[in-house]
Amino acid sequence: MEWKTDWGLRGRMFFVMFLLAALYLAFLAVLSLYVQSFLLIVVFMSIFLFVQFFFSDKLALRSMGAREVDESEYPELHRMVGRLSQQADVPKPTVAVADTHTPNAFATGRSKNTATVAVTTGLLQTLDQDELEGVIAHELAHVKNRDVMVMTIASFLATIAMFILRWGFLFGGGGRNRQGGGAGIIVAIVASLVVWIVSFLLIRALSRYREYAADRGGAAITGKPAALASALMTIDNRMDRVPEEDLREQSEMNAFFIVPISKGVIANLFRTHPTTERRVERLQQLAGDMESA
């Protein structure tokens, strides 16, 4: 199966990034009315963007308890990642393993050359070879599509907005000279709330579509869409047997996982991923198209 440029993915990425950029510019314009020094906003956001862009991969790995492993520890895993990387035409990423019962995988890193693919011990113990190849190929498709970088940038000011919601007084000082300190704080908090809600919805719409694109890309790398579909169903079914404490500890990583933790009302309210059933349906259609070609 030939790898093809996913123009649908690129178009949606561009459209969502355009909407986010317009939203953030309006957000900065409102803040500038109530913050004494606009330079303070620029400096603060620049520092935060630098930290998030260059260190988000390390923070993601640390939050999952994942560590880099060498070939002597996991030779088969390294060989598999290396072979699939060649088939995907991307540099071999760093390989990491997280010691947890949760069967899952994720990719992180700001570029193809700094990418890391992480799997859990639960995943290695659950899937057969073809299924594991499908999952790793899916994560390599994320790397090839630069999804991690795009999602990190897209979520940047949404994170800033959340910080202002929690600590609105940080941007209320300039209001004393114009509209009153209390009014400045209230406006900053309201603007932050609007930005966060709209960003939240836009980013999740983009996240769901990038999963479809990564599924298709993973199938293109291995030529086995049925194996990836089987892996998704296996992981989804296995989630019901994972201890609750493991699910709670890792729920904040949902956007990175190949299959999100979906227990509970809140987890299902705003999905970062399409439903497993819908993803499997598309992969089965793809498998049928390949067989008839």
Side-chain angles (χ1 to χ4, degrees):
M1 179 178 173
E2 183 182 356
W3 181 285
K4 296 181 180 179
T5 299
D6 192 327
W7 292 108
L9 174 65
R10 291 193 177 186
R12 291 203 182 193
M13 281 187 173
F14 176 81
F15 182 64
V16 171
M17 294 297 283
F18 173 80
L19 292 178
L20 286 170
L23 180 67
Y24 295 155
L25 286 174
F27 178 47
L28 290 174
V30 172
L31 284 184
S32 68
L33 298 175
Y34 294 91
V35 178
Q36 191 168 17
S37 174
F38 187 75
L39 180 61
L40 177 64
I41 300 176
V42 174
V43 171
F44 176 76
M45 291 188 172
S46 297
I47 293 173
F48 192 87
L49 177 59
F50 176 85
V51 172
Q52 185 172 5
F53 188 72
F54 287 98
F55 297 101
S56 61
D57 54 342
K58 296 178 177 61
L59 294 174
L61 292 172
R62 180 172 295 182
S63 69
M64 271 296 296
R67 63 180 182 87
E68 182 180 344
V69 296
D70 57 33
E71 293 189 40
S72 64
E73 294 178 275
Y74 289 87
E76 292 297 327
L77 179 60
H78 267 272
R79 280 195 286 270
M80 183 180 294
V81 172
R83 175 169 49 80
L84 291 172
S85 298
Q86 288 184 331
Q87 292 172 208
D89 193 26
V90 296
K92 180 186 175 184
T94 300
V95 179
V97 174
D99 186 11
T100 173
H101 297 293
T102 307
N104 235 311
F106 65 95
T108 186
R110 62 185 180 276
S111 69
K112 295 179 183 179
N113 294 321
T114 61
T116 297
V117 169
V119 298
T120 66
T121 52
L123 186 80
L124 298 176
Q125 295 164 2
T126 300
L127 303 184
D128 63 29
Q129 180 171 331
D130 282 349
E131 290 173 336
L132 184 59
E133 285 184 355
V135 169
I136 292 174
H138 170 99
E139 300 305 330
L140 290 173
H142 277 311
V143 173
K144 191 176 180 72
N145 289 332
R146 297 180 175 86
D147 287 338
V148 176
M149 179 187 69
V150 171
M151 295 304 293
T152 297
I153 295 174
S155 65
F156 163 60
L157 275 173
T159 306
I160 292 289
M162 176 55 72
F163 280 168
I164 297 174
L165 278 175
R166 291 179 178 177
W167 302 294
F169 64 89
L170 290 177
F171 291 100
R176 296 186 187 92
N177 297 328
R178 299 181 188 182
Q179 304 293 334
I185 295 173
I186 292 173
V187 170
I189 291 176
V190 171
S192 301
L193 178 61
V194 172
V195 168
W196 182 77
I197 291 173
V198 177
S199 299
F200 184 91
L201 297 175
L202 288 174
I203 291 170
R204 271 154 180 73
L206 177 59
S207 178
R208 288 190 292 271
Y209 188 76
R210 75 186 179 94
E211 291 304 320
Y212 284 134
D215 285 345
R216 183 177 180 83
I221 293 169
T222 64
K224 301 175 182 178
L228 177 55
S230 176
L232 293 175
M233 290 187 292
T234 300
I235 295 171
D236 199 46
N237 292 333
R238 180 68 182 272
M239 285 293 187
D240 292 333
R241 301 196 295 273
V242 175
E244 287 291 338
E245 58 270 20
D246 287 349
L247 295 178
R248 286 195 299 269
E249 289 175 1
Q250 298 162 34
S251 61
E252 293 184 0
M253 287 292 293
N254 268 350
F256 291 95
F257 287 149
I258 185 170
V259 173
I261 297 166
S262 58
K263 287 188 175 183
V265 176
I266 300 299
N268 285 311
L269 189 57
F270 297 111
R271 286 181 171 271
T272 57
H273 291 50
T275 63
T276 299
E277 291 78 10
R278 183 58 179 153
R279 293 170 67 184
V280 168
E281 181 183 336
R282 288 197 175 197
L283 286 167
Q284 289 173 340
Q285 290 175 351
L286 184 59
D289 293 342
M290 290 175 61
E291 290 176 359
S292 61

